[in-house]
Amino acid sequence: MTCGKVYLVGAGPGDPGLLTVRGLELLRSAQVIVYDQLVNPALLDEAAPTAIKIFVGKQAGRHCIAQEEINGVLISYARAGDEVVRLKGGDPFVFGRGGEEAEALSEARISFEIVPGVSSAVAVPAYAGIPVTHRKFASSFAVVTGHEARKPNSSVDWAKLATAVDTLVILMGLSNLPIIVGKLIAYGRSPQTPVALIGSGTTIDQKIVIGSLADIVSKSALVEPPALIVVGDVVSLADKLQWFVPPPENQPLYEFEQSREPARA
Ligand SMILES: C[S@@+](CC[C@H](N)C(=O)[O-])C[C@H]1O[C@@H](n2cnc3c(N)ncnc32)[C@H](O)[C@@H]1O
């Protein structure tokens, strides 16, 4: 039997319309789809009716599925000859463990392809009217994890980062917001620096809260995960550049066209 292939596909940040053309093609033809928590369920409706769909995200009251177990699922289906789509929120290589999964596939000699996705790091600010760079306000931006901010030897060097780049986009940081804000101010960022918290960006549940480093913590209860934090003067454009109006609840954000029937010979 010939070996199958694994496609690490970025599902985009939430709005199904932000899946790439290549991602959609692969999703429609895959025999197996292994997907995460942050993947919009509407995308799974695009799968073939016969496709096996395996959820490997965090389930209420249960531990996350170990990465080795996920790697094992991908490898065993590919070895059985299947075309496997590993569908991940945003981009697979931006805090998505896509690198680890590609390494495991490479070591197991399984052929694989990376299909980049639209990362929440830029798309969620964009749907909130915040450009991460702007000629007047920001010439640099960094995307960092806020997950480890409370650890004494966090892998993010907050002391250097605080003033090194104009715009900071912090993923997985909502629960550590007070610590992150404290570090940024302590390491030299002005307390007046504008900050946005954006929850469920690009979806019908999108929620934006704007403040400054000085007061954002007191407003943070209004936003729930998944959420990201944008710090920098570009946030001041949000008011002027608001454009995304989520549709009413009973209307879809985006509807895919039916896939075209292959042309007949
Ligand atoms: C494990 S990281 C995965 C990032 C993903 N690979 C990407 O490129 O967008 C998950 C974090 O991304 C951010 N995130 C993902 N989707 C989001 C959304 N729709 N709205 C706000 N933040 C989001 C949150 O900070 C969340 O905790």
Side-chain angles (χ1 to χ4, degrees), residues 5-48:
K5 186 167 176 179
V6 178
Y7 300 87
L8 300 181
V9 178
D15 182 343
L18 296 181
L19 178 69
T20 64
V21 174
R22 177 78 178 135
L24 181 60
E25 273 171 11
L26 291 166
L27 188 60
R28 285 177 170 164
S29 62
Q31 281 135 343
V32 181
I33 296 161
V34 180
Y35 65 101
D36 280 341
Q37 183 107 28
L38 288 177
V39 167
N40 189 324
L43 291 179
L44 300 174
D45 295 342
E46 294 302 308

Side-chain angles (χ1 to χ4, degrees), residues 13 38 89-91 94-95 119-120 124 171-172 198 200-201 226-228:
L38 288 177
D91 180 89
V94 177
F95 295 118
S119 177
S120 65
V124 168
L171 306 189
M172 300 172 279
I198 310 159
S200 300
L228 57 72

Side-chain angles (χ1 to χ4, degrees), residues 158-159 162-163 182-191 193 213:
W158 292 97
T163 52
K183 283 183 196 262
L184 292 177
I185 294 174
Y187 292 126
R189 202 86 187 212
S190 160
T193 309
L213 281 175

Side-chain angles (χ1 to χ4, degrees), residues 32-81:
V32 181
I33 296 161
V34 180
Y35 65 101
D36 280 341
Q37 183 107 28
L38 288 177
V39 167
N40 189 324
L43 291 179
L44 300 174
D45 295 342
E46 294 302 308
T50 51
I52 301 168
K53 297 173 198 154
I54 303 169
F55 176 67
V56 292
K58 203 172 180 182
Q59 275 166 328
R62 291 181 56 187
H63 283 297
C64 287
I65 297 176
Q67 188 61 54
E68 292 70 34
E69 211 179 310
I70 299 172
N71 297 346
V73 170
L74 301 178
I75 291 167
S76 60
Y77 277 104
R79 284 206 174 123

